[in-house]
Amino acid sequence: MQCETRWTAARLATMTDGCLTVIPDAMIAAQDGRVVYAGPASAAPDIVAERTVDCEGRLVTPGLIDCHTHLVFAGNRAAEHEMRRTGASYEEISRAGGGIRSTVTATRAASEDELVSSALPRLNALIAEGATTVEVKSGYGLDLETEMRMLRAARRLADERRVTIRTTFLGAHALPAEFAGRADDYIDLVTQEMIPAVASEGLADAVDVFCENIGFTPAQTEKVFEAAAAHDLPVKLHAEQLSDQKGASLAAAHGALSADHLEHLDDTGVAAMAKAGTVATLLPGAFYFMRETRKPPVALLRKADVPIALATDCNPGTSPLTSLLLAMNMGSVLFGLTVEECLAGVTCNAARALGMSDGTGTLTAGKQCDMAIWNVGDPAELVHAMGANPLHARIWRGR
Ligand code: DI6
Ligand code: FE
């Protein structure tokens, strides 16, 4: 067999089927950006490689996938920090002129170039820790023009860095001030104008809604899901973050790729997600930052075999986090996830949450050769450490 590059002497975790089994002396071979072999060196076919890289016993995992971010936005909300520290609630901060709407004002005023350049340091931080795929949501424009500009900026990030970008349209993130008291009218705008425009320009890979007391109702969410389906766009949902709206069940009924946050998810929601194959994306950064106390029902999710993903939720207000390694540590320390669950959460299950399982998320023949090579031997070190970055090298599409 002929290939461009082969990596030898790897301690390989392919993450196939979500299993963390380390193959001690493994080889990975790539041709045209795809894996042609990944497994024990002893079982490898005869491979003639143009280039051989000796991993010297380092751990090799699939490249990390951040499947839930709000990476593109303008301004920053550091000034809210003091309010939050002294006990102000999310609602109080919002009423004082902070919150999502302050980011909306800044984002509306920013050019596409400015959105790209302010997002790049955040993207760089994710990439520096081995991310090879990053999802980016809109949702700080809340008007047609700015939502489209955010999505164009997100798509452009893929020209600036060697990384795969998936975009999600989140027009139903918050009610813009000019629609105060007219949420249904805004949802009409989202479903009748924004989604058709975003779809016709191919700017989004999925559609998301913030279904919450302070967001949109389940009935409004359903309208957005129907419009997405009419344009062949898969859906996801911010569900059960602050209260139980039965959003996860609604998402599952619409075949959602994922339901995200889920602190207030109950057993019927878990059952609906299990039946539909909807991924549970947990966002411990937001839980930590908002000092929440109610945890997502991990034991129920496990029992029902609902795949669990982990993401940063990188956003300016409730999770200013640009580290998937720290998200893994928090997933374990705060939510009790195992090392295997943490690693599956940022690889194979994150790919599934983006509808990308066929292309990435595990290291198996036929998939994109997206890998992270770590200066550690034991995967537990990735979850255990805080603030360390043991990345040795990042491979995106075989390079
Ligand atoms: N849930 C959140 O926690 C963030 N968005 C969402 O739907 C908050 C985003 C922000 O405050 O800017
Ligand atoms: Fe979010």
Side-chain angles (χ1 to χ4, degrees):
M1 184 190 287
Q2 187 82 29
C3 76
E4 278 154 12
T5 312
R6 66 173 180 173
W7 290 263
T8 58
R11 287 173 54 74
L12 174 66
T14 68
M15 298 314 293
T16 308
D17 301 322
C19 288
L20 176 54
T21 315
V22 177
I23 304 168
D25 179 13
M27 183 198 292
I28 305 103
Q31 175 71 27
D32 298 327
R34 301 214 164 249
V35 175
V36 291
Y37 178 78
S42 58
D46 261 342
I47 293 177
V48 182
E50 286 166 34
R51 203 166 73 103
T52 299
V53 179
D54 183 353
C55 293
E56 298 170 325
R58 292 186 177 91
L59 178 71
V60 175
T61 67
L64 305 191
I65 299 174
D66 196 346
C67 66
H68 181 142
T69 87
H70 309 251
L71 204 75
V72 168
F73 60 84
N76 82 76
R77 308 234 295 273
E80 290 170 19
H81 202 87
E82 184 61 10
M83 291 183 73
R84 182 172 280 109
R85 189 187 67 82
T86 50
S89 69
Y90 199 45
E91 278 98 331
E92 283 161 347
I93 291 170
S94 176
R95 266 187 262 114
I100 293 181
R101 282 188 198 162
S102 82
T103 302
V104 171
T105 303
T107 303
R108 285 179 176 178
S111 68
E112 191 179 306
D113 285 348
E114 285 165 346
L115 291 176
V116 171
S117 60
S118 63
L120 278 175
R122 297 186 277 271
L123 181 62
N124 290 343
L126 292 171
I127 286 174
E129 288 187 351
T132 48
T133 299
V134 176
E135 184 256 18
V136 181
K137 300 177 195 296
S138 70
Y140 290 117
L142 311 181
D143 61 31
L144 177 64
E145 199 190 308
T146 316
E147 286 292 308
M148 304 265 282
R149 190 160 72 249
M150 285 188 74
L151 292 170
R152 285 193 199 103
R155 286 265 195 251
R156 269 180 54 194
L157 294 173
D159 305 326
E160 300 286 331
R161 295 292 181 271
R162 296 176 50 75
V163 66
T164 303
I165 299 287
R166 290 292 265 203
T167 57
T168 301
F169 171 67
L170 177 59
H173 189 194
L175 190 62
E178 63 274 19
F179 278 88
R182 297 188 294 127
D184 285 325
D185 291 347
Y186 180 65
I187 290 297
D188 285 345
L189 178 71
V190 167
T191 56
Q192 292 165 24
E193 288 184 37
M194 292 189 189
I195 289 178
V198 163
S200 80
E201 277 201 39
L203 283 174
D205 303 308
V207 171
D208 193 349
V209 176
F210 186 29
C211 180
E212 193 51 71
N213 283 325
I214 58 168
F216 295 94
T217 65
Q220 290 161 343
T221 300
E222 187 150 38
K223 283 191 186 165
V224 177
F225 283 176
E226 284 163 2
H231 290 86
D232 288 327
L233 287 168
V235 298
K236 314 166 73 68
L237 191 65
H238 281 71
E240 272 76 272
Q241 180 185 7
L242 307 169
S243 63
D244 185 7
Q245 304 278 322
K246 309 289 175 212
S249 294
L250 177 66
H254 287 261
L257 291 170
S258 70
D260 302 30
H261 286 289
L262 303 175
E263 280 82 346
H264 293 260
L265 180 68
D266 69 4
D267 50 356
T268 43
V270 172
M273 290 177 70
K275 192 157 163 257
T278 298
V279 174
T281 301
L282 306 185
L283 305 167
F287 173 92
Y288 161 83
F289 199 79
M290 296 177 85
R291 290 183 289 176
E292 298 288 349
T293 50
R294 182 169 166 142
K295 301 181 185 195
V298 168
L300 291 179
L301 292 167
R302 264 184 205 136
K303 204 166 139 214
D305 268 333
V306 175
I308 297 173
L310 268 177
T312 62
D313 194 17
C314 175
N315 77 66
T318 61
S319 187
L321 173 64
T322 49
S323 169
L324 271 173
L325 290 174
L326 190 50
M328 288 162 76
N329 174 272
M330 288 176 169
S332 185
V333 172
L334 300 173
F335 296 163
L337 299 181
T338 64
V339 170
E340 181 174 70
E341 286 169 335
C342 288
L343 209 52
V346 296
T347 57
C348 51
N349 290 345
R352 190 163 158 181
L354 297 176
M356 300 177 83
S357 297
D358 290 345
T360 190
T362 64
L363 288 169
T364 37
K367 301 261 175 107
Q368 268 166 223
C369 187
D370 296 343
M371 309 194 291
I373 306 177
W374 306 96
N375 280 318
V376 305
D378 179 351
E381 293 178 61
L382 299 180
V383 175
H384 184 70
M386 300 170 68
N389 182 6
L391 188 76
H392 171 71
R394 190 187 73 106
I395 311 297
W396 181 73
R397 299 195 182 172
R399 281 173 54 204

